[in-house]
Amino acid sequence: EAQVTQNPRYLITVTGKKLTVTCSQNMNHEYMSWYRQDPGLGLRQIYYSMNVEVTDKGDVPEGYKVSRKEKRNFPLILESPSPNQTSLYFCASRLTGGETQYFGPGTRLLVL
Amino acid sequence: DQQVKQNSPSLSVQEGRISILNCDYTNSMFDYFLWYKKYPAEGPTFLISISSIKDKNEDGRFTVFLNKSAKHLSLHIVPSQPGDSAVYFCAASSQGAQKLVFGQGTRLTINP
């Protein structure tokens, strides 16, 4: 089944404790992206990647890092999480040149 | 600066009637528009899209209308069914840009 998977689905952590949210897709898509969803703000792009070893900032990249060492994986790293990073996070992927992005199920993060 | 706006946070419609969800945008460079549907605890799923060279696109019960002069698009669902109850996001992109810009979302409730 073609899909985007994220782990964990739910995470509670404390300020400053490094964490990684994994994202994997099995559709051989070149493009991958991370979004956060907050009430009243919709989905905002954090980082995106056009292909392996090619990443760039989205609209709200502060406090986040990403890496793209393999085509299928695009982990999101929070080196020192803060409470304002409490949010619902979505990973997405699409083919280069395609417009439709396919989203993972989301990761709900609470930073205390 | 919210480039894509969905001014109605919620909408309630009776089953069998027409649901109309609205979306406004400010960036005249946007040339592709999408609607996504989101159920609780799931990621957004693609519903329907429209290119700026068209003013209407239809897919079964779903029709999207684009008014470029007014920078406005709308999603019509006819007839509305209980399974249509979800949050609907409008999104836009421009050629060469590597992201989707999302609206805040509209929660649609279909009442039996």
Side-chain angles (χ1 to χ4, degrees):
Chain A
E1 180 189 354
Q3 59 183 351
V4 179
T5 57
Q6 297 178 226
N7 282 292
R9 295 289 312 276
Y10 304 91
L11 180 59
I12 302 174
T13 189
V14 295
T15 299
K17 185 176 182 181
K18 180 179 179 179
L19 67 92
T20 298
V21 183
T22 65
C23 173
S24 182
Q25 49 92 8
N26 62 2
M27 296 171 280
N28 203 35
H29 287 169
E30 295 87 6
Y31 176 97
M32 297 185 75
S33 182
W34 277 102
Y35 293 85
R36 61 179 287 174
Q37 183 191 350
D38 301 291
L41 296 176
L43 284 81
R44 294 177 295 166
Q45 190 184 53
I46 303 170
Y47 268 95
Y48 66 93
S49 170
M50 295 296 294
N51 213 325
V52 175
E53 302 291 1
V54 181
T55 63
D56 209 346
K57 297 177 181 178
D59 293 323
V60 288
E62 294 77 20
Y64 304 94
K65 285 175 58 177
V66 293
S67 70
R68 187 91 181 274
K69 292 181 169 48
E70 303 168 281
K71 196 173 187 179
R72 63 182 293 128
N73 297 323
F74 190 43
L76 179 69
I77 303 155
L78 284 72
E79 294 268 2
S80 182
S82 61
N84 64 11
Q85 293 178 298
T86 292
S87 188
L88 179 57
Y89 292 87
F90 291 102
C91 180
S93 72
R94 64 165 170 80
L95 287 168
T96 297
E99 295 289 351
T100 305
Q101 295 193 25
Y102 298 87
F103 284 82
T107 296
R108 187 168 291 281
L109 172 65
L110 173 61
V111 183
L112 300 173
Chain B
D1 177 28
Q2 193 83 22
Q3 296 185 67
V4 178
K5 294 182 182 179
Q6 295 175 255
N7 292 317
S8 298
S10 62
L11 177 67
S12 185
V13 175
Q14 195 167 7
E15 182 178 0
R17 298 289 192 105
I18 183 171
S19 296
I20 300 176
L21 294 92
N22 294 302
C23 178
D24 297 297
Y25 63 96
T26 58
N27 189 340
S28 57
M29 298 300 291
F30 288 147
D31 57 6
Y32 200 80
F33 304 89
L34 307 90
W35 285 94
Y36 280 82
K37 177 179 180 180
K38 184 183 178 305
Y39 291 120
E42 295 183 12
T45 55
F46 170 73
L47 188 59
I48 193 170
S49 63
I50 187 167
S51 164
S52 60
I53 62 173
K54 293 185 173 183
D55 54 19
K56 177 182 174 181
N57 188 27
E58 195 170 351
D59 184 2
R61 296 186 297 114
F62 303 91
T63 303
V64 56
F65 296 91
L66 176 62
N67 182 333
K68 289 186 288 293
S69 61
K71 294 191 177 69
H72 177 84
L73 65 155
S74 60
L75 174 68
H76 292 211
I77 306 173
V78 181
S80 300
Q81 300 174 354
D84 297 329
S85 295
V87 176
Y88 290 78
F89 288 99
C90 169
S93 69
S94 55
Q95 194 172 13
Q98 300 303 334
K99 66 178 180 182
L100 289 176
V101 180
F102 283 84
Q104 306 96 311
T106 296
R107 182 177 302 277
L108 175 65
T109 302
I110 306 301
N111 302 307

